[in-house]
Amino acid sequence: GLRYDYGIFRQQLENGYQVEQPDDWLRSGNPWEIARPNIRVPVQFCGWVDKGHHRGELKADWVDTQTVIGIPYDMPIVGYGGNTVNTLRLWHSVAAEDFDFEDFNKGDYIEAVATKVYAENLTKVLYPNDNFYSGRELRMRQQYFFVACSLADIVRRFKKDGKPWSEFPSMAAIQLNDTHPSLAVPELMRILLDQENLGWDEAWDVCNKTFGYTNHTLMPEALEKWPVEMMERVLPRHIQIIYEINHRFLQKVTLHFPGDSERIGRMSLVEEGDEKQIRMAYLSILGSHSTNGVAALHSELIQQRLVPDWAAMYPERFNNKTNGVTQRRWLLKSNPALSSLITDAIGDSWIKNMDEIAKLRDLAGDGEFRNKFAAIKKQNKETFAAYAKQNFGWNLNPDSIFDTQIKRIHEYKRQLLNAIHIVILYNRLRKGGYDMAPRTFFIGGKAAPGYAMAKLIIKLIGNISSVINNDSAVNGKLQVYFLPNYRVSLAERIIPATEVSEQISTAGTEASGTGNMKFMMNGALTIGTLDGANIEIKEEAGDENVFIFGMTSDEVANIRPSYNARDHYNSNNEIREAIDLLFSGHFNISEPGIFEPIKQELMEWGDRYMVLGDLASYAEAQSRLNANYSDVDDWNRKAIMNVAGSGKFSTDRTMREYAADIWDIKPVHIEKKMSDTIDEASFDPTLSTHKGGD
């Protein structure tokens, strides 16, 4: 990865609007990192390709390039118990020369350091805004920089032993985590062809056996593509290699599907159009021997809907690896009181073997254990209430249901569905006579800086919060808060206190989710669609211990051609009243018309994520949840059954599956003790596991 100076951003709210502030990760230094200035990797950009002959074969020479230097910094990742140390190697970019001494002496001080500024920009900011051409190009450069550095490092280690290149795939497994490192495919080919003088077929065989690809999105528009024009200028050798990969591949497609010219266009790595683009997801699939999704449904939909042509041609390459989260952070560290209760009840083996957590199922019916469990949840709620009072000035009611939706703000994740339902509850309370358990809704997350609709949804939630929290008509039954600057440290506080986990994406849009797993592990009940890992959560917790609503992914696909949001608006009084109130100005009296784009999206532009289509079902599931909460024993039994069912969702299980099914590696028994001398080899990531055996 990259050693960024600044994280994505620190979120501030001004008059309810998200404002991005710099998040300086390194402002106080990093005492854990170990610089390795002796390992310097030159990384080339731009220039041109000179083709000549070497030993009778056509060879390419990438010349007149702009060069930056990658410096590795090692972050030791200490395993639980302290007897193993893996390494996170992060790359920092510096200029080949800090400044041009001749320009400096001529008084052109800005130009003298221009190269330094250009180089350091590569690792300045995480996720630059790519709504602009310059931002897109910077992202491409960042991606190539960390790919080039990492591959050079891996190749350097491999060549120390003098083994033939045919053994490289048995010594190195490279997982492309989404398409961000997909340039690794042409980069490794460049190394093997241009530097190591392998033939094309041998080089491609090495690449294909080395790479695996993990897909993280089902939305076609989210699949990364790079303009051909940009790549020709920034990475001229790589675009040549990609064209050659594509040429050879399309010949195979023609043989595999004779006469199907449309399929050739669909499967080409080059997308034709006004702006030619390289389809990086296709490059990742083609360059890898394995492609996996991150939840069972997601992996099915990849093959059925996202890339069916590829699944038809390479069915053996597709598999599933359901995501996980580590119980050592998200339970042991984040929820020490619950961790102690679990250990007292079943022992501490669950910390290393999360399958053991299933033993809690036998205790779900134990009244004394349920009472202790409930007391811990209440204490966690009170602790968070005190934190919120001190940091945000909020006066929370710990006796209310803590209902939380924390994730990236995006239309498909449907924070808007949550918000409209809150307005439905608000209307019911204003009319009087509605009996509901007091409920506190927490919604948090960051919107991408260039995502106007997501930022407007944050503003809408903030305005709803301001009105409802100050309306005496709700009689303390309903509170709404937007959690500012959502991040891991805040998640570690709110998740143990949460009782209802909102996982309400449109079915068929969420790859997996991991927040849903963290909430489950801490005894929150899921209200959600049959999407992503929610399906597997339902299977592990038991159908009766989750609140499922809404259309399935198949139903969404089938109804989409004829879907009309106004049908739901016209046929349901509560939906109509909520929408009318929402856009009447009631929540924006002093800011008329500001939410008109949201209204247009819902009522005029098709309601792409079917918010109104699922709203009645969602409201009905929320009513069931509300009724169930009054049965304290049953609620706590359900909560314990969720914790007991969370064993599948440990990263330990996920990584074992990657290791066995994709990487062909087995665990190494570590006998080191903390007193052992630690040298650089101890921090070598290639020593963490061995491929093929102990």
Side-chain angles (χ1 to χ4, degrees):
L2 294 182
R3 180 180 177 267
Y4 291 101
D5 293 338
Y6 292 88
I8 181 167
F9 60 83
R10 181 165 43 85
Q11 183 191 58
Q12 287 187 347
L13 300 175
E14 294 182 7
N15 189 30
Y17 288 100
Q18 171 181 291
V19 176
E20 298 89 25
Q21 298 292 340
D23 186 12
D24 188 352
W25 286 359
L26 297 175
R27 61 187 176 277
S28 301
N30 183 358
W32 295 104
E33 67 184 9
I34 302 164
R36 303 291 188 197
N38 57 309
I39 304 173
R40 300 168 62 87
V41 176
V43 179
Q44 299 170 285
F45 294 99
C46 301
W48 58 286
V49 180
D50 181 23
K51 288 190 175 181
H53 285 81
H54 175 74
R55 296 178 182 175
E57 290 191 20
L58 186 65
K59 292 296 178 184
D61 191 16
W62 189 9
V63 297
D64 291 343
T65 57
Q66 302 169 0
T67 301
V68 299
I69 304 298
I71 306 293
Y73 285 73
D74 286 350
M75 178 85 76
I77 307 297
V78 183
Y80 179 73
N83 286 330
T84 58
V85 180
N86 288 316
T87 305
L88 175 62
R89 174 156 282 185
L90 302 177
W91 296 92
H92 183 69
S93 61
V94 299
E97 298 292 341
D98 269 0
F99 70 99
D100 188 310
F101 199 71
E102 184 177 349
D103 283 339
F104 186 83
N105 281 338
K106 290 188 298 186
D108 194 347
Y109 304 124
I110 294 177
E111 188 62 31
V113 295
T115 302
K116 175 180 172 66
V117 172
Y118 160 81
E120 292 182 354
N121 274 344
L122 286 175
T123 51
K124 185 64 67 178
V125 179
L126 173 64
Y127 296 142
N129 187 348
D130 62 355
N131 279 9
F132 306 98
Y133 186 91
S134 58
R136 294 184 75 190
E137 182 176 321
L138 179 55
R139 281 206 188 193
M140 177 194 279
R141 289 174 179 264
Q142 286 180 331
Q143 291 182 9
Y144 177 64
F145 174 77
F146 89 80
V147 157
C149 288
S150 299
L151 275 174
D153 202 39
I154 293 168
V155 167
R156 174 183 63 82
R157 297 170 192 271
F158 171 75
K159 291 180 69 173
K160 282 182 179 180
D161 294 333
K163 295 178 182 287
W165 278 103
S166 59
E167 293 190 30
F168 185 76
S170 67
M171 301 297 292
I174 301 175
Q175 194 71 23
L176 306 177
N177 189 39
D178 217 340
T179 54
H180 309 303
S182 55
L183 285 166
V185 175
E187 172 65 4
L188 184 55
M189 286 295 289
R190 184 189 70 83
I191 292 170
L192 297 176
L193 294 170
D194 299 350
Q195 296 179 4
E196 302 300 326
N197 297 316
L198 270 65
W200 182 277
D201 291 340
E202 184 183 2
W204 185 249
D205 184 62
V206 169
C207 279
N208 201 249
K209 290 177 178 177
T210 299
F211 289 115
Y213 166 52
T214 299
N215 173 276
H216 285 277
T217 182
L218 282 166
M219 291 182 286
E221 68 271 20
L223 294 178
E224 200 168 40
K225 300 172 187 176
W226 290 115
V228 166
E229 174 275 326
M230 182 186 292
M231 191 174 287
E232 285 176 336
R233 182 170 48 79
V234 178
L235 299 171
R237 179 57 179 141
H238 296 75
I239 193 69
Q240 291 178 348
I241 292 171
I242 290 171
Y243 275 144
E244 183 64 22
I245 291 171
N246 194 44
H247 171 69
R248 292 171 182 248
F249 168 63
L250 292 182
Q251 288 180 327
K252 292 182 180 179
V253 174
T254 301
L255 293 174
H256 202 85
F257 304 101
D260 194 345
S261 58
E262 290 186 1
R263 188 185 296 263
I264 292 172
R266 292 197 306 266
M267 296 187 73
S268 174
L269 304 185
V270 182
E271 181 178 274
E272 302 292 340
D274 294 337
E275 180 186 54
K276 278 190 177 183
Q277 300 186 94
I278 304 299
R279 297 159 162 161
M280 304 309 287
Y282 290 7
L283 178 63
S284 300
I285 296 171
L286 182 59
S288 302
H289 66 277
S290 168
T291 293
N292 69 277
V294 289
L297 175 66
H298 175 221
S299 296
E300 290 176 14
L301 294 178
I302 287 174
Q303 298 176 66
Q304 295 170 6
R305 298 183 191 170
L306 192 67
V307 289
D309 293 324
W310 292 85
M313 187 160 179
Y314 298 115
E316 73 285 353
R317 294 189 183 184
F318 289 83
N319 61 93
N320 175 60
K321 297 290 174 281
T322 297
N323 274 339
V325 301
T326 174
Q327 68 272 19
R328 289 173 288 278
R329 173 177 290 275
W330 293 107
L331 185 52
L332 182 66
K333 177 181 181 294
S334 302
N335 200 341
L338 180 57
S339 298
S340 295
L341 178 65
I342 293 170
T343 296
D344 289 345
I346 65 172
D348 66 359
S349 59
W350 63 272
I351 299 171
K352 291 185 178 180
N353 179 10
M354 194 58 174
D355 292 342
E356 293 289 310
I357 206 79
K359 292 178 179 178
L360 290 180
R361 289 193 175 101
D362 295 335
L363 293 168
D366 184 318
E368 182 180 357
F369 186 82
R370 281 200 307 267
N371 290 339
K372 291 179 180 178
F373 181 91
I376 289 169
K377 180 63 74 174
K378 177 68 180 299
Q379 180 59 56
N380 288 340
K381 292 167 69 177
E382 291 174 348
T383 299
F384 183 76
Y387 171 85
K389 175 67 174 176
Q390 180 178 351
N391 289 274
F392 310 134
W394 300 345
N395 292 309
L396 304 182
N397 176 11
D399 292 322
S400 65
I401 303 173
F402 277 20
D403 182 310
T404 307
Q405 185 182 19
I406 42 175
K407 51 186 78 247
R408 183 163 46 96
I409 307 297
H410 197 291
E411 288 168 275
Y412 87 83
K413 294 179 183 289
R414 297 202 296 191
Q415 286 89 358
L416 192 54
L417 176 62
N418 194 351
I420 297 173
H421 173 255
I422 290 170
V423 176
I424 288 177
L425 294 180
Y426 177 55
N427 277 340
R428 290 175 184 173
L429 290 170
R430 289 199 309 153
K431 291 178 181 179
Y434 179 61
D435 184 25
M436 64 174 277
R439 182 88 70 100
T440 302
F441 287 93
F442 301 102
I443 303 174
K446 295 177 180 179
Y451 192 172
M453 182 61 73
K455 297 173 88 166
L456 190 58
I457 289 171
I458 292 175
K459 170 63 173 172
L460 176 67
I461 294 166
N463 279 31
I464 290 172
S465 171
S466 296
V467 171
I468 290 179
N469 293 353
N470 292 288
D471 192 333
S472 59
V474 303
N475 196 28
K477 291 276 189 177
L478 185 60
Q479 291 181 303
V480 184
Y481 294 98
F482 188 87
L483 292 161
N485 199 34
Y486 172 62
R487 58 204 184 279
V488 169
S489 56
L490 185 55
E492 288 179 311
R493 295 178 181 275
I494 185 65
I495 288 174
T498 293
E499 293 163 293
V500 176
S501 164
E502 298 273 354
Q503 308 298 331
I504 58 178
S505 54
T506 312
T509 60
E510 184 71 83
S512 169
T514 53
N516 47 4
M517 302 169 186
K518 297 165 190 172
F519 281 117
M520 179 194 196
M521 204 172 274
N522 284 271
L525 273 59
T526 298
I527 181 166
T529 51
L530 290 173
D531 197 27
N534 292 353
I535 296 171
E536 292 158 85
I537 285 175
K538 178 177 78 76
E539 292 169 352
E540 298 298 315
D543 292 0
E544 71 279 9
N545 299 316
V546 295
F547 298 94
I548 298 298
F549 73 93
M551 292 175 275
T552 65
S553 60
D554 286 341
E555 289 169 339
V556 168
N558 290 336
I559 200 174
R560 187 172 295 283
S562 60
Y563 176 75
N564 187 341
R566 284 196 173 272
D567 291 342
H568 301 278
Y569 172 84
N570 292 327
S571 63
N572 187 298
N573 288 336
E574 281 202 320
I575 291 177
R576 184 168 59 255
E577 290 173 359
I579 293 295
D580 288 348
L581 183 67
L582 196 60
F583 301 115
S584 68
H586 182 80
F587 297 101
N588 54 303
I589 293 174
S590 60
E591 304 165 294
I594 62 169
F595 299 128
E596 193 64 21
I598 298 177
K599 181 180 179 182
Q600 290 175 327
E601 173 61 35
L602 289 175
M603 307 304 296
E604 298 174 25
W605 297 341
D607 185 15
R608 179 180 177 188
Y609 296 105
M610 300 187 181
V611 172
L612 299 193
D614 270 348
L615 184 51
S617 177
Y618 179 54
E620 188 276 330
Q622 289 281 12
S623 294
R624 283 189 281 119
L625 185 155
N626 177 66
N628 196 169
Y629 192 76
S630 62
D631 187 341
V632 176
D633 280 344
D634 188 56
W635 183 275
N636 287 319
R637 182 193 63 77
K638 290 178 186 290
I640 293 166
M641 290 298 288
N642 270 270
V643 179
S646 65
K648 175 180 180 177
F649 304 107
S650 168
T651 46
D652 299 342
R653 186 269 314 154
T654 309
M655 291 299 100
R656 283 196 301 268
E657 292 180 0
Y658 273 98
D661 301 342
I662 301 177
W663 304 331
D664 187 28
I665 59 177
K666 297 178 181 179
V668 175
H669 180 66
I670 301 295
E671 294 183 348
K672 287 181 178 293
K673 297 180 177 62
M674 291 300 291
S675 58
D676 289 352
T677 301
I678 297 176
D679 56 19
E680 181 183 354
S682 301
F683 296 105
D684 188 335
T686 64
L687 300 183
S688 300
T689 52
H690 292 171
K691 298 192 71 176
D694 290 349

